[in-house]
Amino acid sequence: MLYDLEDEFSIASIKARWVLDSRGNPTVETEVLTIARGYGKAIVPSGASTGTHEALELRDGGKAFHGKGVLKAVENVNKIIAPELLGMDSRRQEDIDGKMLQMDGTPNKSRLGANAILSVSLAVAHAAADTYSLPLFQYLGGMNAYTMPVPLMNIINGGKHAGNELKIQEFLIAPVGAKTFSEALRIGSEVYHSLKAYLKDKYGPQAINIGDEGGFSPPMKNTREALDALINAIRNAGYEPGKDVALAIDAAASEFYDEKRSLYIIDGQELSREKMIELYEKLVEEYPIVSIEDPLHEEDFEGFSIITRTLKTQVIGDDIFVTNVERLRRGIENKSANALLLKVNQIGTLTEALEAARLAISNGYSVVVSHRSGETEDTTISHIAVALNTGQIKTGAPARGERTAKYNELLRIEEYLGTRAKYPGLGAFKHYKR
């Protein structure tokens, strides 16, 4: 039977199920098929350190999976969303996402669940791309999508990602001296294994236990101890800190902020906002830190503005923006941060995530595409990073299958692009001043 082009892209079926994420908790997977047999699949990740204003991840409650079941979300896809979307043109992403938002009708997607909605949203994009016989990054970004991202690799875990005394949640390396993404991945892997040997030698075998994102969770007590370990690992791997491999941190400061007393409790100290900013200033002076994420409490737009003016580095807003256009607009007006952390599951549809990214880019903000701590083998974010030419991605250590899946997909994308692939290196961090 012959179809015209529009029929070929029509959604023929939508099917959701529960699968496990990297923490052993259930999450939603959805498959979408077009009439022309274009196939799309997406699995939704889950965060541990979540912003207050994130879209709602619908969970069942009760005894099964300790309340974390997603059968309601799966049912919402199969019985409510699917019947309404069948026959729609899979290329009309905004219309499809808009339809689901209308069906949900709540500000935070609490009726159908952001996990239900996002699984369909991403799977539809994959199905449309497959119908065109295009990789997702090229379907979304066209022929101008060729910038490979600098990987920000979380190789020492603290905060909610670990069981140690470190308050800073993530200590990351960025292989800025590489010429290609594949070289950057090799450098990152070498530094990771160098760090493993260093930690085992200094702290013992227990120090090389790993946290949620594949980074090590050593028995460290303070921030400089972790940063010094990274510097040693970089040097031991044969690279120069700052030139070949830079550092970054994700403070997730809301997690160690005492709201009642307006104090940050870190490294055995109780610090005011001003003293916290002074601490960051000293760290940036002492170490080659190119990026700091969520340095202050998620509601402190004024403080974010001050620290953005003060520090000569990239300041990423995650919990403060939660990939939400309205909160990002407020940040732009106040000049709070100079980079957006893009997490599609914070907002719940591909359309809204891309809108936030475009708003950030058009206002001079950098964009860092990010995973979550509860991840899966889904590689959509690898494609989004290249599609938007963001030049930066955060997807964990070069270890654990759910993390390496993203890196391995980027290797395939780089190979697909061939000589057109561009690796920006330190240039990706346009707000960083040496």
Side-chain angles (χ1 to χ4, degrees):
M1 183 177 181
L2 297 176
Y3 305 96
D4 61 30
L5 186 62
E6 188 169 341
D7 283 336
E8 287 185 316
F9 285 87
S10 295
I11 296 173
S13 69
I14 298 174
K15 169 68 177 176
R17 65 179 63 84
W18 69 264
V19 295
L20 293 180
D21 69 16
S22 61
R23 282 198 286 256
N25 294 323
T27 188
V28 183
E29 175 184 78
T30 292
E31 295 177 311
V32 171
L33 200 65
T34 64
I35 285 179
R37 310 303 289 177
Y39 174 74
K41 180 179 74 175
I43 313 177
V44 179
S46 177
S49 172
T50 54
T52 305
H53 302 280
E54 289 193 27
L56 184 91
E57 182 182 69
L58 188 63
R59 298 286 183 177
D60 297 337
K63 289 185 178 180
F65 289 110
H66 303 281
K68 293 182 180 292
V70 292
L71 293 180
K72 291 178 184 176
V74 168
E75 184 177 36
N76 287 344
V77 172
N78 292 332
K79 294 188 176 180
I80 299 176
I81 295 174
E84 294 293 324
L85 300 189
L86 294 181
M88 290 188 72
D89 187 337
S90 60
R91 295 168 297 179
R92 302 184 71 87
Q93 189 77 42
E94 290 186 20
D95 291 348
I96 289 168
D97 290 346
K99 178 80 171 177
M100 289 191 286
L101 295 181
Q102 185 181 32
M103 292 165 62
D104 179 86
T106 67
N108 65 344
K109 303 174 180 66
S110 57
R111 177 172 175 253
L112 298 176
N115 44 351
I117 293 170
L118 181 63
S119 69
V120 176
S121 179
L122 297 181
V124 164
H126 279 283
D130 192 53
T131 306
Y132 273 123
S133 297
L134 288 173
L136 182 64
F137 81 89
Q138 209 162 63
Y139 169 68
L140 294 175
M143 294 305 292
N144 290 323
Y146 52 76
T147 302
M148 300 302 298
V150 176
L152 289 157
M153 299 174 164
N154 174 15
I155 63 173
I156 293 183
N157 293 184
K160 279 202 167 182
H161 292 172
N164 53 29
E165 296 181 50
L166 293 173
K167 294 297 184 180
I168 299 290
Q169 185 166 274
E170 300 176 13
F171 295 86
L172 309 100
I173 55 169
V176 295
K179 303 301 181 188
T180 63
F181 174 80
S182 54
E183 183 186 1
L185 188 57
R186 174 178 62 77
I187 292 171
S189 175
E190 289 171 359
V191 173
Y192 179 77
H193 285 282
S194 175
L195 177 64
K196 182 178 182 179
Y198 171 84
L199 294 175
K200 187 175 182 180
D201 180 62
K202 183 169 182 177
Y203 298 96
Q206 76 279 3
I208 56 175
N209 292 330
I210 61 173
D212 282 346
E213 297 185 358
F216 300 109
S217 179
M220 292 177 172
K221 297 182 182 297
N222 65 72
T223 302
R224 283 182 175 83
E225 191 177 1
L227 293 171
D228 287 339
L230 294 185
I231 294 295
N232 275 284
I234 292 167
R235 287 180 175 145
N236 291 345
Y239 299 106
E240 184 179 336
K243 180 182 178 183
D244 299 317
V245 184
L247 305 184
I249 61 176
D250 172 10
S254 292
E255 303 294 342
F256 56 86
Y257 179 66
D258 185 332
E259 198 164 355
K260 291 182 179 178
R261 296 189 296 154
S262 299
L263 292 172
Y264 295 90
I265 302 169
I266 181 172
D267 296 350
Q269 305 174 78
E270 295 183 348
L271 303 178
S272 64
R273 176 217 277 170
E274 291 71 25
K275 292 296 181 183
M276 194 69 210
I277 293 174
E278 285 179 17
L279 173 61
Y280 291 126
E281 282 186 273
K282 291 175 183 175
L283 293 176
V284 170
E285 287 174 7
E286 295 173 29
Y287 301 92
I289 297 173
V290 296
S291 179
I292 297 179
E293 180 184 331
D294 280 354
L296 299 171
H297 178 58
E298 66 188 12
E299 296 298 339
D300 192 1
F301 281 85
E302 181 186 19
F304 264 80
S305 179
I306 294 169
I307 198 168
T308 304
R309 291 196 307 269
T310 303
L311 297 183
K312 295 178 180 179
T313 192
Q314 176 171 274
V315 178
I316 305 175
D318 175 17
D319 291 345
I320 192 172
F321 296 145
V322 291
T323 316
N324 181 293
V325 166
E326 296 309 314
R327 289 185 68 83
L328 178 58
R329 281 202 181 102
R330 182 180 169 190
I332 291 167
E333 289 170 6
N334 287 278
K335 297 182 179 179
S336 303
N338 52 36
L340 166 72
L341 198 73
L342 189 74
K343 293 176 175 174
V344 288
N345 87 312
Q346 280 184 327
I347 193 63
T349 66
L350 178 59
T351 297
E352 291 169 292
L354 295 180
E355 183 183 359
R358 291 176 185 129
L359 177 64
I361 292 167
S362 65
N363 283 276
Y365 277 49
S366 296
V367 174
V368 184
V369 176
S370 177
H371 64 162
R372 299 309 297 262
S373 52
E375 261 297 340
T376 75
E377 61 271 28
D378 188 287
T379 61
T380 304
I381 63 169
S382 299
H383 288 266
I384 291 175
V386 180
L388 295 175
N389 291 311
T390 63
Q392 298 182 57
I393 192 169
K394 254 184 73 177
T395 189
R400 294 182 52 140
E402 75 281 358
R403 315 292 155 184
T404 58
K406 279 71 165 173
Y407 293 129
N408 292 340
E409 186 72 357
L410 285 166
L411 288 175
R412 299 180 192 106
I413 292 171
E414 183 177 59
E415 184 179 277
Y416 178 93
L417 286 169
T419 56
R420 294 183 62 240
K422 173 188 174 186
Y423 184 75
L426 190 60
F429 300 90
K430 63 183 181 181
H431 300 287
Y432 171 68
K433 303 292 187 292
R434 299 190 197 208

